[in-house]
Amino acid sequence: MLAKFGFGEKCISWIQECVSTARILILVNGSPTKEFNPQKGLRQGDSLSLFLFNLVVEALNILLQRAMELRLLKGVSVGANDEVKLSHLQFADDSLLFCEVELLEVLNLKRILRCFEVASGLKINYHKSVVCGIGISGSALTEFAFLLNCKTQNLPLKHQGLPLGANPRRKKTWKPIVAKVKLRQAGWKMRLLSYVGRLTLMKAVLSSIPVYYLSLFKLTKGIAKELDKIQASFLWGGPDLKRKIHLVKWSEVTKSIKQGGLGVRRIRDANVCLLLKRWWRFASELVSLWYKVICSKYRFLGGKWVPNPSLNTLSSYIWNGIVAAGEQNQSLSLFYASNLQLKVGNGYHISFWVDPWCGNLCLKDEFPRLFSLSLQNDGLLKNFVEVFGATKNWLVTCRRPLFVWEKNELLRLYGIVGSAPSLQLETQDSAVWRAAKLGQSFVSNLYNYTNSAYGGNESFSRLVWIKNLWSMFSCSAYLFEEYGQVFCSGYPWRKAELRIWRAIPLVTLWSIWKHRNDCSFHQNMQQLQELILTMLAFWLKAASKELYFSISDFLYNISGVRQGLL
């Protein structure tokens, strides 16, 4: 089989040596047995087994393609004109096989699988396989399952962790995700975790659990609200039976750290960004199988760069959700459209009038009169130009002779397209993301843009410590100068005095943190030194009944307070 794929004899001998000379041992109650040679190829977990498995399973792909050519299998046809035909989809050791509701075709499929088992030495686990029917009776489905010796199952069918055929608008589709988030946070002891620990677990674990679903399904408002409620309850330490006060509203918590928030992910914005990545893949993966299936099903003639068909009842719920992602966040959709740049190649995928291939200029909007008169409103770029070596001639045919002012518009059109990038016949048209940054993914780029809708970066959210650093040192010096002369000038330290000095560091740090929050959320620029002294007086007054003094005495008559302690 390796020789059929074009591997050389030396490479085949190396692989054969790795397979035949491997020796393993087994631990029985902690004691190793003698080494022995495995009789069924590589051991489980060997890094080489993955590559060899892909090579061997490629034989199944060849058998199914050959069966399609001989019309032993019909598979499934996509599109009005059957432009795309699929017989199977493979990912690692999971396969989806398609066939018509015919007994002969099911028998042919089983024969192909048996031939693959004999040729490769692998065994297909029919007990883990299921037969799923779409638009067929239950009796026929049971008959096919008995023939293939496997189980039956109706849609939705779980494949690669996603429910195939599920409606993302229904709550039960998201039920496994919500249950998984609750189960994960239930195993953590909230009472033993600090706020920082809870925040770290929430950002690293809880926010990442639904990402796989969010990358394909449009999130409903109810599920988003429920997931936010679970995270907020975990952050503030409130159990299910007892509601705790949330110290900061959730919209402030989900702001970025530069904006004075905690950087918790906004799940709805993250969902839109992940769905817009499907837009980017739609524009950049022009030769992929899924792109061809989408274009064939929704009749995208010549290819499109933005998935924006007319939504109807025939469109799937998943595709409707992907298309509607731009409508959910208009500013983000405009940001995507403004940063999507088309790179001219052979002109087979770029629309002359509609696509902005001349910089950010759309010729349809710039020349509406010529667009209405053109005989090729949906024409591709390659149909409007003739290339002769280094020269190119632009041809715009109209359905009637042009007036003088229309000819002037045509000359202006030729001037614009003449300065545009020329066709590169040896390369294909492609898309370029202009807002890309080094070390930042596409989704992160979009999500960082959504932060701008929640306010600009507050300069004092980071610099409040630096701005008030001198105030902190001056306050410490003031406390040492004023209070040190009273409490430390030869007098013995008493219990009350020690309580004051022990409270000063805690009050100072608490006051700085409170001052920072006031600056960030309420624009309150109170003097830090005054705040520390006031908080210190309140804390000491509330913590001890032995200190008989008023707040004003502590602030303005510290000598009298000292005399009262003697």
Side-chain angles (χ1 to χ4, degrees):
M1 185 177 294
L2 294 177
K4 292 292 184 180
F5 286 138
F7 287 87
E9 296 182 359
K10 191 173 183 179
C11 183
I12 296 176
S13 63
W14 287 348
I15 297 177
Q16 186 66 26
E17 189 73 16
C18 293
V19 174
S20 59
T21 60
R23 297 179 63 84
I24 61 176
L25 54 85
I26 301 175
L27 292 177
V28 180
N29 295 330
S31 301
T33 62
K34 293 183 179 179
E35 293 184 352
F36 60 91
N37 293 326
Q39 300 297 320
K40 291 294 183 180
L42 298 174
R43 60 182 174 85
Q44 186 177 6
D46 195 311
S47 57
L48 188 61
S49 61
L50 301 176
F51 300 100
L52 294 181
F53 179 81
N54 289 335
L55 290 174
V56 174
V57 173
E58 183 64 22
L60 178 60
N61 178 35
I62 296 175
L63 287 175
L64 293 173
Q65 289 181 352
R66 183 59 177 167
M68 290 283 290
E69 295 175 358
L70 297 176
R71 298 184 178 180
L72 298 177
L73 294 177
K74 297 180 182 178
V76 60
S77 300
V78 182
N81 300 324
D82 297 340
E83 299 175 4
V84 179
K85 293 185 177 181
L86 298 175
S87 61
H88 64 287
L89 294 174
Q90 288 180 306
F91 184 83
D93 58 343
D94 291 336
S95 300
L96 284 175
L97 307 179
F98 304 101
C99 66
E100 293 286 343
V101 190
E102 296 179 4
L103 182 61
L104 179 59
E105 191 163 345
V106 176
L107 284 174
N108 292 335
L109 182 61
K110 187 172 183 180
R111 290 165 182 165
I112 292 172
L113 295 177
R114 180 55 184 166
C115 292
F116 172 72
E117 289 182 334
V118 174
S120 63
L122 299 176
K123 297 294 182 181
I124 297 176
N125 193 344
Y126 288 100
H127 297 286
K128 291 184 178 180
S129 304
V130 295
V131 176
C132 183
I134 301 176
I136 65 175
S137 62
S139 59
L141 187 64
T142 304
E143 181 182 0
F144 295 155
F146 178 77
L147 182 62
L148 295 173
N149 194 23
C150 60
K151 302 177 183 178
T152 61
Q153 184 173 344
N154 297 325
L155 293 177
L157 173 67
K158 193 169 185 179
H159 178 67
Q160 298 298 326
L162 290 175
L164 301 183
N167 185 358
R169 299 178 183 177
R170 295 182 178 179
K171 190 174 182 179
K172 66 177 183 180
T173 304
W174 298 90
K175 188 176 180 180
I177 295 299
V178 177
K180 191 174 182 180
V181 173
K182 290 182 178 180
L183 182 63
R184 180 60 63 90
Q185 67 101 14
W188 297 328
K189 298 184 182 296
M190 291 185 290
R191 295 181 179 179
L192 303 180
L193 293 172
S194 63
Y195 281 109
V196 178
R198 296 173 195 169
L199 179 63
T200 303
L201 288 174
M202 186 175 62
K203 294 169 66 174
V205 181
L206 296 184
S207 299
S208 302
I209 291 177
V211 168
Y212 191 34
Y213 268 57
L214 297 178
S215 63
L216 188 63
F217 299 141
K218 182 183 177 181
L219 185 66
T220 60
K221 293 182 180 179
I223 298 298
K225 186 176 180 180
E226 186 174 0
L227 292 175
D228 288 340
K229 183 179 179 181
I230 295 173
Q231 294 186 80
S233 177
F234 175 74
L235 176 62
W236 303 116
D240 295 335
L241 300 179
K242 184 178 179 182
R243 178 178 175 84
K244 265 203 158 186
I245 297 177
H246 295 185
L247 302 180
V248 182
K249 59 182 180 180
W250 189 247
S251 60
E252 298 293 339
V253 173
T254 55
K255 287 184 178 181
S256 65
I257 296 177
K258 294 181 179 180
Q259 294 172 320
L262 297 180
V264 177
R265 185 180 299 159
R266 296 182 297 276
I267 191 168
R268 295 202 68 191
D269 287 343
N271 180 224
V272 175
C273 294
L274 288 169
L275 293 180
L276 285 180
K277 186 179 180 180
R278 299 288 176 179
W279 289 31
W280 168 247
R281 293 186 59 187
F282 185 83
S284 57
E285 301 178 4
L286 302 180
V287 296
S288 60
L289 177 61
W290 79 274
Y291 175 85
K292 295 178 181 179
V293 170
I294 292 296
C295 290
S296 178
K297 181 177 180 179
Y298 298 108
R299 302 179 183 179
F300 290 162
L301 302 177
K304 296 291 183 180
W305 301 98
V306 177
N308 190 25
S310 58
L311 302 181
N312 50 57
T313 56
L314 299 179
S315 302
S316 66
Y317 293 114
I318 298 177
W319 184 249
N320 284 347
I322 294 175
V323 173
E327 300 177 358
Q328 184 174 339
N329 194 325
Q330 294 288 344
S331 62
L332 189 60
S333 178
L334 294 176
F335 175 76
Y336 173 84
S338 61
N339 287 278
L340 182 66
Q341 182 180 2
L342 302 182
K343 186 177 180 180
V344 178
N346 52 18
Y348 278 73
H349 290 86
I350 295 179
S351 175
F352 179 81
W353 293 105
V354 178
D355 293 332
W357 59 278
C358 296
N360 291 328
L361 187 63
C362 179
L363 299 180
K364 173 185 174 181
D365 300 332
E366 184 70 16
F367 303 95
R369 184 68 170 182
L370 295 180
F371 173 75
S372 62
L373 295 176
S374 176
L375 293 175
Q376 296 177 317
N377 291 341
D378 297 330
L380 301 177
L381 179 59
K382 66 181 182 66
N383 300 327
F384 287 81
V385 61
E386 293 181 352
V387 180
F388 300 98
T391 61
K392 55 182 179 180
N393 296 326
W394 295 96
L395 302 175
V396 178
T397 56
C398 300
R399 49 188 173 86
R400 65 166 176 80
L402 300 179
F403 296 114
V404 176
W405 70 273
E406 293 173 343
K407 292 181 180 180
N408 295 333
E409 285 289 292
L410 182 61
L411 293 177
R412 189 165 69 91
L413 171 64
Y414 286 157
I416 292 176
V417 299
S419 60
S422 59
L423 269 66
Q424 306 292 333
L425 300 179
E426 65 278 1
T427 60
Q428 291 187 348
D429 303 325
S430 59
V432 179
W433 182 247
R434 295 191 299 179
K437 296 181 180 179
L438 184 63
Q440 190 178 68
S441 64
F442 177 81
V443 177
S444 298
N445 199 323
L446 292 178
Y447 188 80
N448 290 337
Y449 176 77
T450 61
N451 289 331
S452 60
Y454 297 87
N457 296 339
E458 302 292 347
S459 59
F460 45 77
S461 63
R462 279 191 171 186
L463 301 181
V464 65
W465 303 92
I466 301 177
K467 284 185 176 181
N468 295 287
L469 194 60
W470 176 251
S471 299
M472 182 174 64
F473 281 114
S474 62
C475 180
S476 301
Y478 171 78
L479 289 172
F480 181 77
E481 181 180 358
E482 297 293 332
Y483 291 74
Q485 291 179 0
V486 176
F487 292 105
C488 301
S489 57
Y491 293 98
W493 285 16
R494 297 183 180 182
K495 185 177 181 180
E497 298 172 357
L498 291 175
R499 183 177 295 131
I500 293 177
W501 284 106
R502 289 172 181 172
I504 287 177
L506 299 177
V507 173
T508 303
L509 293 177
W510 173 259
S511 301
I512 294 175
W513 175 252
K514 188 175 184 303
H515 180 67
R516 178 261 181 197
N517 291 336
D518 290 338
C519 292
S520 299
F521 302 121
H522 305 294
Q523 307 296 328
N524 186 7
M525 303 300 294
Q526 184 182 3
Q527 292 295 329
L528 181 60
Q529 180 175 321
E530 179 184 352
L531 178 63
I532 293 176
L533 294 178
T534 305
M535 292 298 297
L536 180 61
F538 274 107
W539 279 32
L540 292 175
K541 187 67 176 177
S544 177
K545 298 181 180 180
E546 302 175 359
L547 302 179
Y548 301 99
F549 59 86
S550 63
I551 303 298
S552 59
D553 290 338
F554 190 86
L555 294 177
Y556 306 108
N557 189 17
I558 192 63
S559 300
V561 174
R562 172 66 179 123
Q563 294 297 328
L565 295 177
L566 292 178

